[in-house]
Amino acid sequence: MNGALRREPVAGFFGVLGLVASVAVAIRSGDVPAAQDLTTIWFVAVFAVAIVVGEWFHVSAPGFREAAPISMGAAFGLALTTELPGRVQLPYGAPLVLAVTAASMALGTTVRVVAGRDTSLVDAAGRFVAILAVTLVYRVAVLGQSPGATLREGSYAPWQQALLLLGICLLALVTDALFTSLLQGLAVGANVRRIFVEEFRSSFALSIAVAVTGVLIALAAPPLGIVALPLFLIPLVLTLFAFRRYVSIRATYLQSIRTLSRLTDAAGYTPSGHSERVAALSVQVGRELGLSERELLDLEYAALLHDIGQVALVEPIPGGATVLAAPADQRRIEADTVAIVRETGVFEGVARILEHQTTPYRQVRELGEEIPLTSRIVKVVNAYEDLTAGARSARAREAAVERIYLGLGYEYDPRVVDALLKSLGSSAHA
């Protein structure tokens, strides 16, 4: 979905609750800099601006979870920094860190929504949970800080301090991935463990960079002061530009795949736009079932290429409807499709999806065969598109669904069919 705030009420509730609670606790505890404490006010304000800017310049791409590395790096630095040059102690505590972070993130998110930028409240809430974890573990558990009290002196060697801070940041980032996985899993009834593994895997490299940046800002602040913030955010900014260039290349890559998928349309083997309709609906169904961004990307590629094997047929199937073809013909088309995809040498994950796209669901139920969920999605959605022949009338939809129900539990996975119906209902009301 582009240019919209995703409908994520549970995440929105956590976000509003976090904002209100953080500000209320900061005010009630008295953990607010005095008007004459210009050093602290200036220091906190600079970090707040960096968090707002970081929320605006976040990164998002197919196959990757949404991230705001500049915002997270700045927030970690704010939470972990306790001293400025001249052994000047920063008097603020956990309540102020959380209040400033929550308000800055809310402002950055609001600006994105007003500007029509795509924004996920689940990922935003997850980022705040990570900052909450860093702040509470370091300032409350490790330093024993309370509002108005002086910091407890640590007795760590520099390398021990660095490892401690890095460990806390990594723990917080794992907490972020676990929190977002729980929200997504509970929302769609999907396997939370599988979502967590995919979330963590897709964000691991960037998470390490964010954690290191936050630690470096905190360690460099005592000798360098506020200069540490822009100095160590620069690598993340450069990473951001490199990532956006990578996203642009991936977009070109996807466009090439779309062009290849139209080969069957141009040759008259499938109705015009068939593969693109299957891909779009498959991604919707995948989201309903809680697939990760990386799984959705492979699913989209597989759906776009699922019929490419038809180019090897001597005579086209009437209407290109493989669901109406004999099982032997379906398996032959599947084998040719997998062979063509494997020839590219870069789509092994997509090939694994496609080599099971015609396998009946009964082989999962009765024989315990391992068939990827993504393969079952392509099978159901392709059958629906074949049976409707691209028509979008209520009668065509009902007839196609009725035919699919005849094979429910035998040919088609009931859970995927339920997700298909939800997706069709969402599309009808969009």
Side-chain angles (χ1 to χ4, degrees):
M1 181 187 343
N2 295 320
L5 179 66
R6 297 177 193 163
R7 292 173 288 183
E8 296 163 337
V10 177
F13 170 76
F14 275 107
V16 173
L17 179 64
L19 173 62
V20 173
S22 299
V23 174
V25 170
I27 295 174
R28 185 174 179 80
S29 65
D31 190 26
V32 178
Q36 62 270 24
D37 189 2
L38 296 179
T39 300
T40 301
I41 293 174
W42 166 248
F43 183 85
V44 171
V46 171
F47 274 84
V49 170
I51 293 171
V52 173
V53 172
E55 287 296 316
W56 172 260
F57 289 106
H58 75 198
V59 294
S60 180
F64 297 90
R65 61 174 300 198
E66 179 182 293
I70 296 174
S71 173
M72 289 285 283
F76 281 2
L78 178 64
L80 300 174
T81 303
T82 59
E83 186 181 326
L84 292 177
R87 298 190 64 82
V88 175
Q89 293 289 323
L90 289 167
Y92 62 80
L96 183 65
V97 172
L98 297 176
V100 169
T101 300
S104 301
M105 291 182 66
L107 178 58
T109 301
T110 301
V111 171
R112 283 190 64 87
V113 173
V114 171
R117 296 291 188 92
D118 189 22
T119 304
S120 169
L121 288 181
V122 166
D123 292 317
R127 291 195 292 274
F128 181 73
V129 167
I131 296 159
L132 175 68
V134 166
T135 305
L136 294 182
V137 171
Y138 184 59
R139 288 192 168 269
V140 177
V142 175
L143 299 180
Q145 185 184 30
S146 58
T150 57
L151 287 173
R152 188 167 63 199
E153 289 290 335
S155 56
Y156 302 104
W159 67 271
Q160 292 175 323
Q161 178 77 359
L163 286 180
L164 173 66
L165 297 183
L166 183 60
I168 292 173
C169 289
L170 292 178
L171 174 64
L173 291 166
V174 170
T175 305
D176 169 16
L178 181 59
F179 176 80
T180 55
S181 299
L182 280 172
L183 287 187
Q184 293 175 13
L186 293 174
V188 297
N191 187 313
V192 174
R193 180 181 176 277
R194 181 180 56 78
I195 295 176
F196 170 74
V197 170
E198 288 296 330
E199 287 279 316
F200 188 75
R201 183 184 301 165
S202 68
S203 62
F204 178 77
L206 194 56
S207 295
I208 292 293
V210 169
V212 170
T213 298
V215 171
L216 289 175
I217 291 172
L219 295 177
L224 299 179
I226 196 63
V227 176
L229 178 63
L231 180 64
F232 290 104
L233 283 183
I234 287 175
L236 282 183
V237 173
L238 296 178
T239 301
L240 181 66
F241 282 112
F243 185 85
R244 293 195 169 190
R245 181 175 178 80
Y246 171 75
V247 170
S248 176
I249 294 172
R250 289 292 289 267
T252 303
Y253 195 47
L254 179 57
Q255 186 57 43
S256 299
I257 293 174
R258 289 187 186 281
T259 301
L260 178 62
S261 72
R262 296 189 188 107
L263 179 62
T264 53
D265 296 0
Y269 287 96
T270 56
S272 178
H274 169 75
S275 294
E276 292 191 352
R277 289 193 298 273
V278 172
L281 188 52
S282 293
V283 170
Q284 288 185 49
V285 172
R287 289 195 186 280
E288 286 287 346
L289 292 170
L291 296 186
S292 69
E293 290 297 323
R294 186 175 296 276
E295 289 173 314
L296 288 173
L297 185 62
D298 282 347
L299 174 61
E300 184 175 11
Y301 286 172
L304 284 170
L305 298 173
H306 77 283
D307 264 341
I308 196 69
Q310 289 203 44
V311 297
L313 295 176
V314 176
E315 291 292 333
I317 296 173
T322 54
V323 71
L324 302 177
D329 291 334
Q330 292 184 21
R331 289 192 293 271
R332 186 171 68 254
I333 294 170
E334 175 186 84
D336 290 338
T337 297
V338 172
I340 292 171
V341 170
R342 282 212 162 104
E343 278 295 317
T344 66
V346 295
F347 289 137
E348 183 55 35
V350 174
R352 283 196 295 271
I353 296 173
L354 293 173
E355 67 185 359
H356 290 290
Q357 65 168 317
T358 64
T359 305
Y361 178 67
R362 68 177 183 274
Q363 294 188 214
V364 176
R365 189 192 63 194
E366 297 173 1
L367 305 178
E369 185 174 340
E370 287 289 334
I371 301 176
L373 177 59
T374 43
S375 300
R376 288 175 259 158
I377 292 173
V378 173
K379 181 178 179 65
V380 170
V381 174
N382 179 61
Y384 172 80
E385 286 294 335
D386 278 349
L387 293 170
T388 59
R392 286 295 177 262
S393 66
R395 175 175 293 182
R397 287 188 176 196
E398 289 171 4
V401 170
E402 185 176 336
R403 287 285 298 273
I404 289 173
Y405 263 103
L406 293 176
L408 197 65
Y410 184 83
E411 280 290 327
Y412 308 112
D413 184 342
R415 192 158 66 99
V416 175
V417 175
D418 286 343
L420 171 67
L421 295 178
K422 290 179 182 178
S423 299
L424 293 174
S426 300
S427 301
H429 292 92

